[in-house]
Amino acid sequence: MIHSPYVRKPVSVQRTMGLVLIALLPGIAAYAWQAGPAILVNLLIASLTAVLAEALAMWLRRRPIGLAVGDLSAVLTAWLVALSLPAIVPWWLTVSAVLVAILAVKQLYGGLGQNPFNPAMVAYCTMIVAFPALMSQWPALAGGFDAQLQLILGGARELDAVTGATALDALRTGLRTAGATVESVSAGPAFGVFGSQGWEWVAVGYALGGLFLLATGIITWHMPVAFIVALGGTAGVFWLIDPAQFASPLFHLASGGAMLAAFFIVTDPVSGATTPRGKLLFAAGVGLIVWLIRNFGAYPDGIAFGVLLMNICVPLLDMKTQPRVFGHREAAGGDQ
Amino acid sequence: MIGRLFKFHGGIKPDAHKNESAGPAIQRAPLPERLVVPLRQSARATANCLVEVGQKVLKGERIGEPEGFLGTAVHAPTSGTVVDIARHPMAHPSGLDTECVVIEPDGEERWIEHAPFDYHAASREESLAWLRDCGIVGLGGATFPSHVKLGKGAGVETLILNGAECEPWITCDDRLMRERAADILAGATILRELIGARELVIGIEDNKPEAIAAMKEAVAASGHGVSVVAVPALYPAGGEKQLIRVLTGIEIAYGKLGGDYGVQCFNVGTAHAVYRAFAHGEPLISRIVTLTGNVDNAGNWEVLIGTPIQDLLPLARPRPDTDRTILGGPMMGFALPRLDVPIVKGSNCLISASPKLFPPAPPEQPCIRCTECAKACPAELQPFELYWFSRSRNFGKAQEYHLFDCIECGCCSYVCPAHIPLVDYFRFSKSEIWARERDKAAADQARERFEFRNFRQEREKAEKAAKLAAKAAETRAKLAETSTAETPAGEATDDPKKALIAAALARAKAQKAEVQPQNTENLSPQTQAEIADIEARRKVLAATAATTDAPSVAGPTADAPAAGTDAAAASAAPDAETRS
Ligand code: SF4
Ligand code: SF4
């Protein structure tokens, strides 16, 4: 039997996942700097839960535990869950979310590589449906670490002191009062230079990490570009038509989880489209749905729902966008 | 001439490792004690043996008569005595055996009388026959008969000479170009004339500046209008389809030949052999072989066809920790199951491998659909999709996703972060599909026989019925005749018989129409050769599946795709289910 090639590129799943984790660091650093170190506690809780859950699942499925835990995919899922949730949710909510992601979405479908849905996004959706109130309390900027820690550990919630409205929330609720315009709402404290006060720097951190991923070839340009163009483009068109009622594209891109989504969430290889054209359509679809939900939906941000809706379309997208195969170019003398 | 270069999709840049063996000049390998010359030298054709045991032969004497469309002659590589004619294992992944003439050299190297062949004075057919009789086949590895490849002598615009040598470690073409550039060029211009091409382009990877310089110099000295083009070093730029694409922009689809697109491609070694055949009347009895890898004395040797590999290896002085020998390059070659097999016309390189040099592949992980493999695939396939289909044995889907366009270059396996031996899966699927194809062909034949018997029985039944009906009609007619003078009896007797036979025929036809056409018809000779090769591999697969102690040559990935042998197959089932 032939078993060539005998040489292999020094790459591994572990390396891929590790690089994505590294790419998340600038965003995490900005997060901790802007909103306090509570996020670090949550990342830790999420990571531990994920590793234990993964090990348990592998043990139950009688598969090698070390290989699966060592590939870092569970840790990455945990980080994405933690970064999607508000940083001051109680610890049991983080744990539940991670368990949903690892056990229900990933392992029940057969483990790494098999899940049709993005685990972190299913976890987010489950939590926002189950605990809408907790899920809408974001930490106030420069909140005290002690107070945040109390909340995570399940302390009583005297919210005003430690939580603040996000810009997306403020805009949504603000615009529903009569006579309000984007301009008048944006004068509020939740708004920053070009996005959500403080959070815009987290977005910059994510974008930097995303550029790193592009440079290392872990992701291709298709998804981030399509997502940004779809979200920014749609926002831009409506903003030009009626700037009083619709926020600017820059605001949309710098708020909420847009940058996290552009570089880390829509780019999840397992549950996303795989062909170049499929990737463009997939990410553009998410971008469009995000804008629609942000403007007309019942939830402040629509990334999770957008991703899950597009996950459903992946088999179709992949099938319909299969690239042309070498030698099957039209004409050229030999095509059937 | 060649203006701009084109690109092919994907490709990889593995470490070239050319320096190990590219330095020293080509040396002549010493005469071995015995030469084992296979009569099957070209793809899919075995020559007719012309000698007997005990017979004395001269160097270059014909010992095998070409047979069939793809046949080429086989010659004694040196003078000596035929000591045996028997089946002998070949340098094949499975150690397949074939009829061989074993010659004991007398050490005198006495040539048979031979003279140059003036192709200008001969017809094209005679020239092609000369190539066939000199045993000229492609030396790039495929050993496709050159006289067949030269085709009709019309419709080919561009002749490409392949000096790319993109596989790591191999340097035999490099050395040949450096040392015998003028001969290669002379051979190439003969090929150009025979194929009727206007243009001649020599493509060489840009990591061989000396070879490029040598060829350019030869071209300048000859005054021929030939372009020597440096192509970017990117594996598999030396694949025939890839090189044609890079130099001309033309893409040759699976199952097609270059000739269909007005372009044809020959290896530089083949051109050199063509030159020797015409200018000196020498048949193809030796070739350049690279010995490299985990050795102290890497280099290139001119080796007589039939030299046992185990006699050759010591020339390079393999180091003690050498654990296997790879024939060909590390990307597409294979570890030899045994070393007492002969060098044949397609053997270009022997790499002594050690665990340090070629570490076993890390454990296979689940596919994360990262599409690295698709980015690297020069055939522009989606290897991970093919992998899912192969794993779930969904061969129909695999074919729909162009499994057979896969050239088995190994780029996908090379880049896969999950260390999945993708090509192994594809080889397995291909061989399974061919096996089914063949079984179906056999079944079709049986069905046809069965249907014919049915048809015959029906016909007989129909005829009997018709006869009965006719008789009945006859009696009726007779009865009628007695009453009336005029009667349509003639029609009445004919009709039911005809109708019944027609009905039986129609049924048989309809059944026949249901039999699906086989897609093994109308294949090019090259494809047929591929099929033959794949079939051979399939046999091995069957063998390894049956016996657990079959020679497993390459470490931990060995059994993965051989379904039914181990955990890989066992785990494939549930995963495949959840997926679909
Ligand atoms: S490179 Fe490997 S892991 Fe990535 S998509 Fe291809 S087969 Fe899957
Ligand atoms: S081995 Fe086949 S599928 Fe893999 S890269 Fe080469 S052509 Fe593509």
Side-chain angles (χ1 to χ4, degrees), chain B residues 373 376-379 381 383 386 405-413 423 426:
Chain B
C373 49
C377 177
L381 301 170
L386 293 173
D405 284 75
C406 165
I407 56 169
E408 301 183 21
C409 64
C411 290
C412 50
S413 298
V423 211
F426 305 154

Side-chain angles (χ1 to χ4, degrees), chain B residues 366-374 383-384 387 412 415-418 420 422:
Chain B
C367 167
I368 53 169
R369 297 175 27 108
C370 65
T371 68
E372 282 301 321
C373 49
F384 61 94
Y387 159 71
C412 50
V415 299
C416 176
I420 300 169
L422 292 158

